[in-house]
Amino acid sequence: MKPTVHDIARSAGVSLATVDRVLNGRPGVRRVTRQKVEGAIAELGYVRDVAAANLAKGRTYAFTFILPANDNSFMLGLGDELRGAVVRSSAERMQIRIVNIPPFDPGALVAALEAEFDGRPAGIAFVAIDAPEVRAAVERLAAAGIPMVTLVSDLPEAARDHYAGIDNMAAGRTAGSLMGRFLAGAPATVAVVAGSMLVRDHRERLEGFSAVLQEQFPGLATLPVLEGRDDPVLVEALVGKALNETPDIRGIYSLGAGNRGLIQALRSVGSLRRPMVIAHELTAFTRQALSDGTIDAVLNQDAGHEVRSAIRVLKAKADGLPVIAAQERIRIDIFLKDNLP
Amino acid sequence: MKPTVHDIARSAGVSLATVDRVLNGRPGVRRVTRQKVEGAIAELGYVRDVAAANLAKGRTYAFTFILPANDNSFMLGLGDELRGAVVRSSAERMQIRIVNIPPFDPGALVAALEAEFDGRPAGIAFVAIDAPEVRAAVERLAAAGIPMVTLVSDLPEAARDHYAGIDNMAAGRTAGSLMGRFLAGAPATVAVVAGSMLVRDHRERLEGFSAVLQEQFPGLATLPVLEGRDDPVLVEALVGKALNETPDIRGIYSLGAGNRGLIQALRSVGSLRRPMVIAHELTAFTRQALSDGTIDAVLNQDAGHEVRSAIRVLKAKADGLPVIAAQERIRIDIFLKDNLP
DNA sequence: CAGTTTTTGAGGTACGTAAATCAGAAATTC
DNA sequence: GAATTTCTGATTTACGTACCTCAAAAACTG
């Protein structure tokens, strides 16, 4: 049988109350007594029954997720995953509130963060915008002892407890490496389409991509970045124009959203001149394009994993427990048409 | 506040006992009463508190993991992950027993499975060997109502409840696609190193790999499969011999274990003639080889994820709960030197 | 309508831990 | 050595659900 606090008390020759004091770090236990109890715990291999403990604590976890009301497939999918997780997690004493704010708006994010002070949530997850005022708000919440997790886009070196998202620099490097190898090292011109260079994850992806091309594939030249603002219509126009004006484009790296427009532009190009294309985020559109050969590779972050990881981490932080780092690492999925799930 | 059974009882105008009967599907409730209770549950949005329920049930989950006593890095890593999970899961009322059996031995696996009848475990996970006698044993355990999960290697169309592992056919296809693209479609000779063609996952990987080469890269010719029995020494000998006898090998796909030997053999080849190499499983050896350029890509299955997924699924099955399919899909990681974790 | 069966109510105990109270013991201080 | 402070023990209640018993009410049966 699994040992309980009673067994510890008996084995250590102390009372239940003392065991409780040791277990929960309450004061009023002499050093020697504490060591006796800890010895018994180690000897019997006692592990606290979290179900019973949570029940006794009667604690519920109020978490808030702040998401941009973006209408691209990825963010919509993230919202879906989150709502699914909310339903399931209510069975585990968690109450998750979802707050939507206008996208790309640091002021709105700060306001939403400030508003959380009143509710005193057990934790907050949010898609970070890298701006000084956001950092300041995060510092204040951290000072108030509220655990915070950044989601999808990070705020490095700020007081957040964890980042639930991919390493965007590594993603960019991976894209660069694939592009270089797929183009077999021959001299060629590559175009890069981004959403906005103001967004941190896009900047990092570009940085990683460019670094690898420079280091390992000097034969590949890149054109100036096309900023499509994650807007399918704008992306289509920009890419179409670029393909017309620079017919020798042999590769395209799309590191933001709005891939619907990219795919449109590519479809109107003759299949002979179709460039090598690497894009981000597996959506209905990119999946289709991948299987029909319009896109060659898709780098993906799994929104469901990110959401579940954020929830797990918030809960662990709220409980003061360590997180299993390996489990919480969000991986960069590489999809070719051959390993589509 | 979160509603409890008491709230349901009050709201439906029945007693606690009746609510309990409805919730747990016990007999002795009239149709109309049952509907009243279900209405109240829906209206109040009641969700059973799993922590309290598990505590009350006093149930502990006895799971058995049957692992081959293989000494390659991957299986050793899997064992480590499992032992780590065992420690953590004991806090969640799970007791996981690990049984080691000789590798590649259907008889030993059957014996280990048979032995589980007595213990009546709440679930079994095992690395499957595709043999008729194993299938028969699985049928008997399934008939006894014991949930089963195959780990790493599957037993398709058998009575197991779930497979916690990668799609090996897709892995092989991915390797084939990468190899074809990395070699840029030029005519070349490719060698394949496997552990044993008797093991299902190796067969499937080869099948997927060959299919893609045939379909998409007809210029690539493959040599007869080298069976290295996952043994570093044998692998080194075979690969060394092949590289000597067939100097125009431009690609190697190592779909099994024993990559230490492969790497050794590659290191003694001049870097000019070094072929394009794709291997499986990220270990200390393959990681090193990847970062120094000896290996070009590694396809990986995350042992930790597989173990945790198997445990989650077994628990869900034991509780009669549905599994979140998306969460339990084990992904094929593709690692280049640029996205090493 | 009496007898039988089914349904329901009321109440209790248990699970393992948290948290509190209060009295008594031990250690420390003056 | 008395007074004070610091520890410790014993006991109790609570968390939300599961599961049990027993009695009473209601619904059927012939």
Side-chain angles (χ1 to χ4, degrees), chain A residues 290-302:
Chain A
L290 199 51
S291 41
D292 71 21
T294 308
I295 291 183
D296 297 274
V298 167
L299 305 190
N300 183 63
Q301 51 186 324
D302 190 307

Side-chain angles (χ1 to χ4, degrees), chain B residues 13-15 18 21 28-30 33 55-56:
Chain B
V14 301
S15 79
T18 304
R21 288 178 187 116
V29 184
R30 252 184 316 162
T33 317
L55 181 59

